[in-house]
Amino acid sequence: MNDKRVTNTQNQAASRSSFSGKIGYVLAVAGSAVGLGNIWRFPYLAAKYGGGIFLLVYLILMLTFGYTLIVSETALGRMTKKSPVGAFHAFGKSVPFQFGGWVNAVIPMLIVPYYSVIGGWVLKYLFEYLRENASLLAADDYFTGFISAGADVEIWFLIFSAVVIFVIIAGVKRGVELISKVMMPLLVILAVIVAIYSMSRPGAMAGVKYFLIPNFENFSWMTVVAAMGQMFYSLSIAMGILYTFGSYMKQEVDIEKSTVQIEVFDTGIALLAGLMVIPAVFAFSGGEPESLQAGPSLMFITLPKVFDSMGLGTAAGIMFFLLVFLAALTSAVSLAESGVSTFEDQLGWSRAKACALMGAVIVLFGSVSALGFSVLDFVQPLGMTPLDFFDFLTNSIMMPVAAFCTCILIVRVAGIGRVIKEVELSSEFRRKKLYCFFLKYLAPVCIAIILASSIAGVLGWIVL
Ligand code: PFF
């Protein structure tokens, strides 16, 4: 371990800006963590991979493996005062360190293009609600028609991406974050109302039971793999983001407590989204296996039916998609910003050049994902649509590798003691023993499971 290098880094970073106060840190991380992952991705995975059993596995993983990784990444970020590439460099400059830092840093760059495609879908729905087309959106095959039309999807994706890049170039990120923080409580209130309405529809109780009560018959290997991938995604773990947030964190902020607060907040929103969508699938489509398997389209097919039947189609649709747009925008901006600052810090590029490259990556990869349901439908990497492929590549392959690098860095190089000391700078480390156990034994097992299953899936041994 290179203590001197870490100390140097700390000195250099003495002037690094930090979050004001403890709550400022939690709100900033929660603002970036809550996004499409909670509202769009969580309900469709829960519907597809077993309902209550998926939820149970998700909660167990989040409280053990997820907790360990959040504490680890945040502590490493705060200790080195660097984002991932710099944090790994602080301990060594050889190839494994380069690899560990870069794999963490590249993930957000690969997520933001397809994230912006979904952001574009959200914008399109918002636009159609503003044109009072609520019943059109609720029609059975509206969504399929929309994504297979191609040009419209590409245009809305480009509009969403342009807003993201504009926010970064114009430096109005703080303003957007502020707006979204004010809107977040509104999103929660609206989600509660819609969830109650959804659950009170005839036939919806079967959906509530499906989502909340674990049924071991619905368990499959993919339940664990999907839940683990979702946990990375939703909590922004294993993508370098928490290193960066940690690097801005003040020493007096309690790492353990803020981790718990972020987990509770993030999971609360995901649960609400699940309660809005899954009971409605049962109420409006009888909960047949086919509708539960809808995948990425689930929210876009189900919620317009709910809004339409509420008799408030237009108003509810506008409010909901506007709030989801803001949540998606703040998340996409954090993802893109992380890419831009990696280019600036590591390659010494100007901000303009870094933004231009990030923009080009978004347009290139995003267009392939946007058009993968229409003109590019012959592009089927590993038999998946390009959007599913990027999601799979980042969540099921790269994030476990990134998480593995973090664990190795701590256990083999930095030493667990150093992370413990970092956590103890602000408070007593209440779950120290559990943390050590999870890091040394549980994390490698979880990582091996997700990687082995992904490889087996690619080889066709299991169905992904
Ligand atoms: N956690 C976000 C979500 O659930 O939508 C995705 C994300 C946003 C990851 C921002 C990373 C990030 F910086």
Side-chain angles (χ1 to χ4, degrees):
M1 148 75 243
N2 194 335
D3 274 335
K4 197 166 146 217
R5 196 174 286 152
V6 173
T7 318
N8 283 345
T9 321
Q10 278 170 341
N11 292 340
Q12 281 162 18
S15 60
R16 199 171 175 93
S17 62
S18 40
F19 292 107
S20 53
K22 297 177 187 167
I23 196 68
Y25 175 78
V26 174
L27 282 180
V29 180
S32 132
V34 173
L36 292 171
N38 310 61
I39 304 161
W40 155 75
R41 203 172 184 275
F42 181 85
Y44 91 68
L45 288 175
K48 188 168 174 183
Y49 293 111
I53 192 72
F54 175 91
L55 182 61
L56 180 67
V57 172
Y58 181 86
L59 292 175
I60 294 174
L61 283 173
M62 178 196 69
L63 293 170
T64 54
F65 183 34
Y67 161 83
T68 307
L69 285 173
I70 300 182
V71 169
S72 303
E73 293 187 13
T74 315
L76 283 171
R78 188 170 78 176
M79 184 192 300
T80 57
K81 296 272 177 282
K82 292 276 174 196
S83 25
V85 178
F88 274 81
H89 274 182
F91 294 99
K93 287 260 190 304
S94 58
V95 175
F97 294 97
Q98 301 270 0
F99 178 80
W102 278 100
V103 73
N104 273 277
V106 164
I107 293 170
M109 301 177 200
L110 290 178
I111 294 182
V112 68
Y114 83 84
Y115 202 86
S116 303
V117 174
I118 318 288
W121 297 355
V122 170
L123 267 184
K124 160 77 178 174
Y125 272 57
L126 174 59
F127 177 70
E128 292 298 340
Y129 274 111
L130 286 169
R131 288 173 46 182
E132 307 203 355
N133 278 337
S135 39
L136 182 77
L137 297 175
D140 266 343
D141 37 16
Y142 180 82
F143 183 80
T144 325
F146 161 60
I147 57 164
S148 50
D152 217 13
V153 179
E154 177 70 11
I155 290 169
W156 287 104
F157 151 67
L158 289 176
I159 296 175
F160 186 89
S161 317
V163 178
V164 172
I165 298 291
F166 170 81
V167 170
I168 292 183
I169 293 179
V172 290
K173 190 170 170 262
R174 282 275 149 83
V176 173
E177 272 167 8
L178 211 68
I179 298 173
S180 98
K181 258 176 226 160
V182 177
M183 303 292 268
M184 206 64 90
L186 284 182
L187 177 65
V188 174
I189 295 169
L190 186 68
V192 170
I193 296 172
V194 178
I196 293 175
Y197 179 82
S198 257
M199 287 189 282
S200 64
R201 290 307 80 206
M205 262 310 136
V208 178
K209 280 194 197 137
Y210 176 73
F211 178 47
L212 295 182
I213 302 175
N215 178 349
F216 289 87
E217 279 175 16
N218 291 336
F219 181 84
S220 77
W221 202 229
M222 277 311 289
T223 307
V224 181
V225 177
M228 211 178 313
Q230 173 60 13
M231 187 198 73
F232 285 138
Y233 194 97
S234 190
L235 293 166
S236 315
I237 297 172
M239 45 179 102
I241 300 284
L242 295 172
Y243 282 89
T244 311
F245 274 117
S247 73
Y248 294 119
M249 185 191 219
K250 284 188 180 153
Q251 259 173 17
E252 60 267 26
V253 179
D254 182 333
I255 294 185
E256 246 192 318
K257 203 159 135 196
S258 52
T259 300
V260 173
Q261 286 167 342
I262 291 158
E263 287 195 324
V264 168
F265 195 71
D266 191 76
T267 308
I269 306 261
L271 276 173
L272 259 180
L275 286 175
M276 278 188 348
V277 174
I278 297 176
V281 176
F282 281 71
F284 293 96
S285 324
E288 332 127 10
E290 204 189 308
S291 40
L292 287 174
Q293 297 295 316
S297 56
L298 191 67
M299 175 182 106
F300 294 89
I301 294 174
T302 310
L303 286 183
K305 291 189 199 298
V306 178
F307 298 151
D308 200 35
S309 102
M310 280 172 104
L312 297 163
T314 305
I318 293 175
M319 275 297 280
F320 179 79
F321 282 98
L322 175 66
L323 297 169
V324 173
F325 162 66
L326 283 168
L329 181 64
T330 46
S331 290
V333 166
S334 316
L335 287 163
E337 176 68 40
S338 132
V340 167
S341 45
T342 302
F343 294 141
E344 282 182 305
D345 294 351
Q346 304 309 323
L347 307 178
W349 285 11
S350 70
R351 187 152 178 93
K353 194 171 161 191
C355 288
L357 181 65
M358 193 65 243
V361 168
I362 296 179
V363 172
L364 185 70
F365 289 139
S367 296
V368 178
S369 297
L371 298 173
F373 302 93
S374 51
V375 281
L376 295 183
D377 63 0
F378 59 88
V379 181
Q380 294 255 322
L382 305 177
M384 300 175 197
T385 64
L387 191 146
D388 277 333
F389 171 74
F390 281 116
D391 193 62
F392 172 78
L393 176 72
T394 46
N395 265 261
S396 305
I397 309 265
M398 295 179 74
M399 291 187 201
V401 172
F404 180 71
C405 293
T406 296
C407 293
I408 293 288
L409 182 69
I410 296 178
V411 176
R412 290 291 164 89
V413 184
I416 299 187
R418 219 181 146 86
V419 170
I420 292 173
K421 240 195 227 156
E422 184 63 40
V423 175
E424 286 177 339
L425 280 179
S426 44
S427 61
E428 181 199 345
F429 195 166
R430 291 169 291 271
R431 270 167 272 177
K432 183 160 57 184
K433 286 206 178 108
L434 275 179
Y435 170 82
C436 295
F437 174 78
F438 292 156
L439 186 73
K440 280 202 231 154
Y441 304 107
L442 181 84
V445 172
C446 288
I447 293 166
I449 290 176
I450 188 168
L451 264 180
S453 317
S454 306
I455 293 166
V458 169
L459 296 175
W461 296 344
I462 56 170
V463 181
L464 289 173

